[in-house]
Amino acid sequence: MTSAPASLPGATEVPRKLPPLVCGVDDGFIQPLCVMMESLAAAHPGGTVDMRLIVLNHALSKSSSDAIRWHADRLSLSVELRTAPAPSSRYPAFRWTSDATYMRLAIPEIITDHRKVLYLDVDLLILKDLRPLLEHDLSGAALAAVRDPKVPLLKIGKVLPGWERLGLSGNQEYFNNGVMLLDLPECRRQQIFARASDFLIEHPENVRYWDQDAMNWSAADNWLRLDRKWNTFALSPRIQLGNFIHQAESVIPLAQLLADEDTAAVLHFAGANKPWAAGFPDGPLRDLYAKFLGAVVGQQ
């Protein structure tokens, strides 16, 4: 048996073709996007030459587009801006974030030149190498995600109100769609995103967490479970704010979720309180976010 030939001295290594990352933004979320990009570069000190980022947007200003491209060039990150259709005016309105979040529903329609993509919200930090996740085998599933740490089951919390009348089981597991690995042809075949879009319009009374509820209805139980490290909620600051009740203690103990913050590969600041806004509690996670934010602001 012959061994594989060694690389010639001075030869240029051909980058692996990894699935692209995908985000969706409007003018109000450019800085969080750039902070996320900063954390991406820091988590890959060897370089991001094999990574690409597709930024979905609608009616983005020139100054915002220029800022994204400038930071991408500074970080040696390949970034492509793609125009997304305006979210339907018939979708339920967001209460604390932006309608740009609905852009992820258009991913299968807009991105037809890649089989697999990794969708990421921009209110998160990437703390470890993403390549193991990007190379994760979906095993025929349309999507892979992390079970929501606060609401792991439909019967816990206030997600998908009226799930009983929809014929769903209270023991159905519920995923957070802020981090999703997607097989796009399979998503189109199963019409997961199209059915979720219709659900938002036809069943607004069954929606509390917008397209996340709709996607959990559409995908049902047919999704691949990822390790929690790929979408670790920043819960310790929320506890500091008071009035935090962990209703899923019997399923996922709060102590374990807090310990997860120390080993997170992706740290997600889910919820209404964002680390770039006034009133976010002081502490290690605010300091961590401030470090990346400072790097972005300091370069502007």
Side-chain angles (χ1 to χ4, degrees):
M1 183 173 66
T2 59
S3 59
S7 298
L8 294 174
T12 301
E13 183 179 352
V14 177
R16 288 175 290 178
K17 290 186 177 181
L18 295 171
L21 315 179
V22 180
C23 299
V25 297
D26 60 14
D27 285 326
F29 277 78
I30 301 306
Q31 190 173 83
L33 169 64
C34 292
V35 171
M36 188 273 286
M37 290 163 54
E38 185 77 29
S39 73
L40 174 67
H44 302 84
T48 55
V49 66
D50 55 349
M51 293 189 178
R52 295 157 291 172
L53 173 63
I54 298 174
V55 180
L56 305 182
N57 66 94
H58 176 75
L60 204 61
S61 69
K62 183 179 184 302
S63 61
S64 293
S65 300
D66 289 346
I68 294 171
R69 293 191 176 99
W70 189 86
H71 283 286
D73 288 344
R74 179 177 66 83
L75 298 168
S76 300
L77 177 64
S78 175
V79 171
E80 178 189 354
L81 274 63
R82 294 195 186 186
T83 302
S88 172
S89 60
R90 298 171 64 192
Y91 288 166
F94 275 82
R95 293 187 295 278
W96 67 65
T97 185
S98 163
D99 284 350
T101 306
Y102 281 134
M103 289 182 191
R104 61 186 158 204
L105 289 175
I107 289 175
E109 170 190 344
I110 296 172
I111 303 177
T112 58
D113 51 335
H114 297 282
R115 179 176 185 87
K116 189 163 76 168
V117 301
L118 175 63
Y119 170 80
L120 298 170
D121 278 352
V122 298
D123 58 345
L124 52 77
L125 295 175
I126 297 163
L127 303 178
K128 294 184 180 178
D129 193 343
L130 282 183
R131 293 181 184 94
L133 177 56
L134 291 168
E135 295 173 336
H136 193 82
D137 185 5
L138 279 164
S139 302
L143 71 89
V146 174
R147 190 170 62 161
D148 193 286
K150 290 187 77 256
V151 192
L153 305 174
L154 288 185
K155 65 183 180 183
I156 298 174
K158 299 179 180 179
V159 299
L160 255 176
W163 51 264
E164 306 97 322
R165 295 189 298 277
L166 293 170
L168 303 177
S169 166
N171 289 317
Q172 177 177 311
E173 293 186 324
Y174 181 89
F175 62 86
N176 178 271
N177 68 350
V179 177
M180 294 185 293
L181 190 63
L182 303 170
D183 180 326
L184 295 181
E186 190 62 23
C187 286
R188 286 188 282 268
R189 189 186 73 79
Q190 296 185 28
Q191 298 186 309
I192 289 177
F193 287 75
R195 294 175 68 238
S197 297
D198 291 341
F199 184 84
L200 285 168
I201 295 171
E202 297 168 4
H203 299 277
E205 72 280 3
N206 296 118
V207 171
R208 178 176 175 83
Y209 292 101
W210 313 287
D211 60 307
Q212 181 169 277
D213 279 353
M215 288 194 68
N216 271 273
W217 172 82
S218 180
D221 205 35
N222 300 317
W223 52 279
L224 189 67
R225 278 65 171 167
L226 295 174
D227 190 284
R228 288 198 305 272
K229 71 180 180 181
W230 297 119
N231 190 357
T232 301
F233 275 25
L235 292 179
S236 55
R238 297 171 68 172
I239 293 173
Q240 287 179 253
L241 289 170
N243 299 321
F244 180 88
I245 300 175
H246 183 55
Q247 297 178 307
E249 183 67 25
S250 62
V251 182
I252 313 177
L254 180 59
Q256 181 59 62
L257 295 177
L258 294 175
D260 287 347
E261 294 179 356
D262 296 328
T263 58
V266 176
L267 185 65
H268 191 180
F269 294 89
N273 301 102
K274 302 301 184 186
W276 59 82
F280 193 84
D282 292 332
L285 298 192
R286 184 182 181 92
D287 293 344
L288 178 63
Y289 196 89
K291 179 185 76 171
F292 292 110
L293 176 60
V296 169
V297 174
Q299 293 289 336
Q300 292 175 339

